[in-house]
Amino acid sequence: MAMKKENGATMADDGERRRSVIGPPTNPMVTPLLTDLYQYTMAYAYWKAGKHTERAVFDLFFRRSPFVGEYTVFGGLEECIRFIAHFKFTEDDITFIRDAMAGKCEEGFLDYLRKLDCSEVEVYAIPEGSVVFPRVPLIRVEGPVAVAQLLETTLVNLVNFASLVATNAARHRMVAGNDKLLLEFGLRRAQGPDGGISASRYCYMGGFDATSNVAAGRLFGIPLKGTHSHAFVSSFMSLDEIVDKSLRSADGTTSCEDFVSLVQKWLAKIQRTKFLSGGFGETNLSELAAFTSYALAFPTNFLALVDTYDVLRSGIPNFCAVAMALRDLGYKAMGIRLDSGDLAYLSCEARKFFQAIEKEFGVPGFGKMSITASNDLNEETLDHLNKQGHQVDAFGIGTYLVTCYAQAALGCVFKLVEINNQPRMKLSEDVSKVSIPCKKRCYRLYGKEGYALVDLMIGENEPAPKIEERILCRHPFNESKRAYVVPQRVEELFKCYWSGNSDKMREDLPSLKDVRERCMAQLKQMRPDYLRRLNPTPYKVSVSAKLYDFIHFLWLNEAPVGELH
Amino acid sequence: MAMKKENGATMADDGERRRSVIGPPTNPMVTPLLTDLYQYTMAYAYWKAGKHTERAVFDLFFRRSPFVGEYTVFGGLEECIRFIAHFKFTEDDITFIRDAMAGKCEEGFLDYLRKLDCSEVEVYAIPEGSVVFPRVPLIRVEGPVAVAQLLETTLVNLVNFASLVATNAARHRMVAGNDKLLLEFGLRRAQGPDGGISASRYCYMGGFDATSNVAAGRLFGIPLKGTHSHAFVSSFMSLDEIVDKSLRSADGTTSCEDFVSLVQKWLAKIQRTKFLSGGFGETNLSELAAFTSYALAFPTNFLALVDTYDVLRSGIPNFCAVAMALRDLGYKAMGIRLDSGDLAYLSCEARKFFQAIEKEFGVPGFGKMSITASNDLNEETLDHLNKQGHQVDAFGIGTYLVTCYAQAALGCVFKLVEINNQPRMKLSEDVSKVSIPCKKRCYRLYGKEGYALVDLMIGENEPAPKIEERILCRHPFNESKRAYVVPQRVEELFKCYWSGNSDKMREDLPSLKDVRERCMAQLKQMRPDYLRRLNPTPYKVSVSAKLYDFIHFLWLNEAPVGELH
C-alpha cells in the first residue's frame, strides 16, 4: 500500500524505516550519461589501479555569492537526491560508454558499471531553501571514489543554476517588497526548455508568487498567471467581429443581449466626462473589440494589456469602458498590464484615471484596480521604480530573472577532501581556490538577537560548539582574522539525505512549498545588512582553531618548495 | 520498410512524398504545456469569439544581434519542427488545462484541444545554421490563429537559446582562429541539464570541435573529449599505491614489468639535466603517482592536468617523466592541460620545457606536445592571450560560452503580421519595437565579390528581385536610409519545413554536421567587417519601396491621434 505525497513521491510501507520512496529526476535527460567524459576516464583509471572502491569524501561548495551579494539560496538538492536514488546504467548506456572510450577500456570495467548504483554512497546536505555562504559545503558526498566522481558534474549542474536563480528571485523579492505580487514570465527567454522549467520552480522557491509556465505549474504545483498578449489585441479589426454579444450577469439572474453596445455606451460616457476627455480623442476600436471579446470569455477575471496602440489615449479608456460594462452585470474587472514605456509615469496616470472614474461614476474600489507592469524588469529597474514612485501592484519579470542576466552562472565545485581517511586538499596559486581539507561538520552560530553570527566548520571528530560557551572562530586562510563567539543557539547544518543501504535514517524531501517557506524564514534570520543590495556586510565563514592549524600543516606539506639559483 | 537516417529520423517509404519522418522533440519536457498560460486563455477567447480558425501569419524574429555584434547564427529550427510535428494533447494535459483555467472554460474548448494538431499549420524558415540579421523573420508560421498562438512560447524558447549559444560559439571560433581546437566544457555551469545539452549541441553547430558532455555526445554524435581532474591527482598519496606496475609496449611485443621505476628513472634524468633543473627541486610524488596511474590506464592517449600543485615545479616535470617512459614503450603522449594561473606565460614556459627535452634527449616532435588551456576563458581572454602571445593548441571553454555570460538572452519575438489576409502590426512608443506587417518574402542579395550586400523583405505578391536588375532597398523605419542595389546573386531565404496535411513539398531536416557546415560556409560569405568584434559594420536589412509605403500607411491608420488642449 503506497500513499501519494505532495511532491509526487510515494510513502513506502516497509516496516521500520518509514521513509518516502524517492521519484526519478524531474527531467528524464538527467541520467548517468549527463556528465563529463573525464568522469568515465577517471573512473576507469581508478578501476585499473584497483582504487575505485576507496572511500572518498567530496564537498560541493561555491566560492563567492552571486550578484555581488553576500548570500545565496541553496536550491537543487531534491533533484540531486532523485538522481542519486536512480543512478543506474542501462545496457544502451554501457554500449555508448564503450564507444566513447574508443575501445580503450577493458570489459571488466563495463561489468563494474553494470552493477553500479549509489547503495554505498551517503549524502549529507544543508536543507534545500537555506541561506548559505561561500566555502561551507552545501552537500557532502561519501562513497567509493569512482562512484562519487561519476556523480560530480551532474550534481554541480543541478545545484548551480537552481541556487543561482533562487538567489536571483530572493533578491528581486527583497527590492520589490513583500506587499507586491511577483510573477515569473521568463519561459520564452530562458536558456532552453528546462532552463525555463527550472527557473519557474526555483523562482517560486526564492519568493515569487506565480509563474506563466504551464508545464512548471503542472510539475510543481506553482500557481499560474496570465491573460493575453499584443497579438490577441491586434488580431481584431473591429467590433463587428464579435458575433455572440450576450453575457449573463455574475449572479446568473439576468442576461445582457448586447454587451458590445453596453461597452460602447460606457466608452461614450467616459469620453464625455470633462476632466477625463482632455487626454484622449478616439480610442482604437480594434483594441476595444479585443478587450470586449476577452471580457466575454473571462468576465470574472478580466485583465487587459493596454499598450498595444497607446496606453493613455486608447488602452486605459477602452479598459475602463469594458470594466464598467462588466460592473453593470455584477462583475469586478481585475486590472491592466503595462508592457512598455515609462512604467512609473504610466502607472501613476493609470491610477489617477481609475480614481477619477471611481469619483465620477461613484464606483467604490475602482481606483484600486490592479496594475501589473512588465517589460525587461530587473533588480535595478525595480529599485529605480521605487525611487521614482509608482502605482504598480504586481510585477511580471522574465529575461533578467530567469537567465540571471546580471551573472549567468554560479561557480559550485566538487572537491575531494578525504580519501581512505586521509585528508586531501587542492592547492592553487589563487588562495581563493584552495579547498578546505577533511571530512567536516558545519554549524551556524546565532547571537542574542536571534540573527546568525557566523558559520563554523570543524573536523569530524572535534567536539561540537556549545551554547553559551566561548569558541574561537578563524578565517580559513587569513591568519589575522579571528573572533571569539559565544553562541546563544547552535544549529548543525548537515542532515543525511541519502544513506544508501546503510541503516542510517535519512530525511524526507520536503515539498516545494515547504522549501519556499524555509527560504522565507531563513532570510528573516539574517541581519539585514548581510542581505542589502549595496555594499552588504560580509558574513563570516570560519574554521575551528584545530582545523585551521591542520589546513596550514597540510598546505606546507603538499606545496613543492621552490629553488632560486 | 524504414531506413535509418543520420539524425535519428527514419525514411518513410510512402510513395510520392519521400520525406523523412520527423522524430519527437529531443527533450521529452517539450510538450504543448511548455508554454505561457496566456496562450491558453487567448486560445479560449479566440474560440469563444469563433475566431480560432481564422488564418494568421506570425513572424518569429529578433530585434538586435547579441554580444554587441552585427550577426546571429540561427539555431533551434529542427527542435521547432519536431515539436510541431508531434503537437498533440494527452488526456492528462487536457485535465490539467481544465484545472489551470480554474473552471472558467467550456468543455467544448477542451474537445477542440483534444482534436488539435498542426495539420493546418505551415512553417517557412531560413535554414538552420544560417547567418541571420535583425527584423528578418527566421520562421514564419501560418495557420489557425489559436494554434499558432499556442506554439508561440515554445518556438521562441527553442530558438532563443539555440541561436544565442551558436552565435557565441561562432564568435569564440572567430577570435581563437581556425587552427585551434575548441572544446566545450560547460555542462557543470550550464543553466540546468538541458541548458548544458543544448549548449553542447549548438556550440558544435557554431564551430566547436568537441564537447565533454557525454549525453550530448550520444544524442547528437558530437566528438567527446576529456581526461582527468584535480580530484584524480589529489586522490593519490604515493607511488606505492600502484599495484599493477606492468605495461605492454605499444606494438605488443614486449612488456615493462615496472613502469613506475621507469618513470622514476626518467624523472631523475630530467632533474639532473643542468639547464632544466634550475627551475625545480622535488616534484610532488602524489601527482607523479596519479600521472603514472593514468598513463597505465590510457597509454595511447595520455594527457595530464598539470596544475594541481605547481605547474612549472611539479606538473610539467612529472608529465615529461611519464611521457618519456611511455615513449620507451613506443607510446606517444598527447599533452598537458593548464587550468589556472597565467595561461600565456605558463604555455610558453611549458613549450620551452618540451623543446628543451626534445633537444636534450633527442626526441623529435616532443617540443610540439599539445597544450590545452582552460579556466574561465571567453572571447575577451582569448583575444588577450592572442595579443600576449601564447603556445596553446586547444582551448577548453565552459561557463562564459554555455551560459552566454556576456549576454544571457536573445530577444526573439513572435508577432502577428496578418490575419484573414489583413496585414497587422504592433505599434510601440519605441520604434525598434514596431513590427513589420504583411506576409513577406525575404531575400539575400549578393554583390560582385560574392559577399552578401543586403537582406530584403517584400510583400508576398511583389515580384522577386532579379539578378543584375537595380532595386531600391529602404530601411523599414528611417526615411532617409535607402540604396539602389544591383544583385549579382539572389537567394530566397525561406524554405518550407512543415506543410501540415497540404500537398506542398517540405525540406528534410539536415544532420547536425550538415548544419554546422552550412554555418561555417555562411560565415565565409559575410564580409569580414560585419563579423569583427569591435565596431562591426551594420549589415543592411531593408524592405521594398512598396512595403515601406504600406508600413507607414498602416502605422498612421492604427495610431490614435492625440489632442492637446
Side-chain angles (χ1 to χ4, degrees), chain A residues 22-92:
Chain A
I22 297 167
T26 302
N27 186 339
M29 296 175 102
V30 177
T31 74
L33 291 197
L34 186 73
T35 189
D36 292 309
L37 181 67
Y38 78 4
Q39 311 293 6
Y40 286 101
T41 54
M42 282 192 276
Y44 179 65
Y46 286 131
W47 180 84
K48 270 291 279 182
K51 255 178 97 73
H52 55 297
T53 56
E54 287 183 6
R55 195 129 187 111
V57 181
F58 283 84
D59 282 351
L60 188 154
F61 63 96
F62 60 90
R63 297 178 179 124
R64 205 176 305 157
S65 283
F67 312 119
V68 209
E70 282 292 328
Y71 72 100
T72 299
V73 173
F74 172 35
L77 178 61
E78 177 179 336
E79 288 304 315
C80 290
I81 301 301
R82 285 169 175 259
F83 169 62
I84 286 169
H86 292 264
F87 187 90
K88 194 81 195 141
F89 291 91
T90 66
E91 204 49 45
D92 276 358

Side-chain angles (χ1 to χ4, degrees), chain B residues 113-143:
Chain B
L113 291 184
R114 270 188 194 96
K115 289 180 205 124
L116 214 61
D117 60 22
C118 287
S119 58
E120 287 177 57
V121 171
E122 288 173 29
V123 178
Y124 296 82
I126 300 180
E128 188 161 4
S130 298
V131 172
V132 290
F133 300 97
R135 292 203 202 95
V136 180
L138 309 177
I139 301 179
R140 183 176 79 206
V141 175
E142 305 175 28

Side-chain angles (χ1 to χ4, degrees), chain A residues 384-419:
Chain A
H384 284 300
L385 284 171
N386 288 343
K387 282 170 186 157
Q388 285 168 71
H390 66 81
Q391 287 290 330
V392 176
D393 304 294
F395 291 104
I397 312 186
T399 313
Y400 292 94
L401 176 70
V402 303
T403 64
C404 300
Y405 206 92
Q407 181 184 325
L410 180 65
C412 278
V413 294
F414 190 76
K415 293 291 170 193
L416 180 72
V417 295
E418 190 180 294
I419 188 163

Side-chain angles (χ1 to χ4, degrees), chain B residues 480-525:
Chain B
S480 65
K481 287 191 178 172
R482 60 222 160 126
Y484 282 106
V485 176
V486 182
Q488 299 304 309
R489 183 157 78 85
V490 171
E491 183 186 15
E492 177 152 17
L493 295 177
F494 286 159
K495 293 175 194 278
C496 178
Y497 283 95
W498 179 254
S499 48
N501 56 11
S502 81
D503 282 340
K504 281 178 199 142
M505 279 295 284
R506 63 170 169 79
E507 298 291 315
D508 268 342
L509 295 170
S511 70
L512 177 60
K513 229 173 160 179
D514 289 346
V515 174
R516 183 176 190 268
E517 271 161 32
R518 177 178 190 86
C519 173
M520 308 292 99
Q522 285 252 315
L523 286 166
K524 275 190 202 132
Q525 283 177 359

